Amino acid sequence: MRIAHLVISGDVAGGQLVALQLARAVRARGDDALFVTPRRGPFAERAEQEGFRVLSADVGRLHRVHGAVALARLLRRERVALLHTHTLAAANTLGRIAARLARVPVV
């Protein structure tokens, strides 16, 4: 199973650290995890140092509906089985729209 964790920024903060712990647990049980973020930063570097892939989709603002379409394409291309959002507001809403478009369950 491949799980994508959607985080809102490239910074290292609470939500990103929780997502990283969950990704480690997913990997430990033999499944695959990756991260999606609107922009790169220290968190992306940290995740990549641990062997996780970090991809980008511009879902940082609600008016960027094209970001939801791009995220849906990414989810399909990467054969993601579950999208786990660790965000508030715009990215959470657009992430849910993208998951629905890609026919991927979302948490």
Side-chain angles (χ1 to χ4, degrees), residues 25-90:
V26 164
R27 184 169 54 192
R29 75 167 191 229
D31 289 320
D32 187 27
L34 61 91
F35 294 94
V36 180
T37 181
R39 60 188 173 278
R40 299 207 38 98
F43 174 76
E45 293 170 14
R46 184 172 180 171
E48 287 173 339
Q49 286 173 351
E50 291 195 31
F52 294 104
R53 288 188 310 136
V54 180
L55 306 172
S56 295
D58 188 10
V59 292
R61 300 277 186 249
L62 195 54
H63 67 276
R64 295 183 182 152
V65 176
H66 66 279
V69 173
L71 179 55
R73 287 185 185 131
L74 183 153
L75 295 173
R76 285 192 298 265
R77 182 183 74 236
E78 296 296 325
R79 299 179 185 223
V80 169
L82 177 72
L83 175 65
H84 189 165
T85 65
H86 299 270
T87 67
L88 297 172

